[in-house]
Amino acid sequence: MNKKNGFLLIESLVAIIVFSISIVSIIGFQNSVLQLTADTYNRTIANSLAESITGQINIDKANIIKYINTDKTYVGYNNWEKLVTTSLPKANMNLPIISADIIPGGTKINITIFWMNPFDNVVSSYVTSTVIF
């Protein structure tokens, strides 16, 4: 009887070890999924913010230089910058950049928005360009 009881104890210990390893693996996988979800969410927010300022610049073409020079005294840019810094994590560490290139028939607007994901503390960015006629 003692050999059977000893074998049952060893089987139980092996089962507990296998179960523990699988739980640790699942937790690690869940952490990766959370990181990817957070990054996707932040990119979606950055896309929305970029589209917002693009539409605003398109409507306010007369003041396009104030957006490009990131004139903080200009209400249109200042309100958008505040929205960026409050919508994305640590976006105030690297403020957005708006640049422009003159092309035939219009202006090409380049928008870069930065943020830092809380999981990895790496600066991420979203870059988009559009042409305003």
Side-chain angles (χ1 to χ4, degrees), residues 36-90:
L36 290 172
T37 302
D39 187 53
T40 302
Y41 174 77
N42 289 331
R43 288 194 182 282
T44 302
I45 296 296
N47 178 35
S48 177
L49 291 165
E51 285 186 23
S52 170
I53 196 66
T54 300
Q56 191 171 329
I57 292 171
N58 196 23
I59 291 170
D60 193 16
K61 292 177 191 168
N63 293 307
I64 195 168
I65 196 72
K66 293 181 180 180
Y67 293 96
I68 295 166
N69 291 337
T70 59
D71 184 354
K72 293 182 186 286
T73 62
Y74 187 62
V75 174
Y77 175 79
N78 194 26
N79 289 342
W80 178 76
E81 184 182 271
K82 285 179 184 175
L83 188 61
V84 169
T85 58
T86 57
S87 299
L88 292 169
K90 299 183 184 178

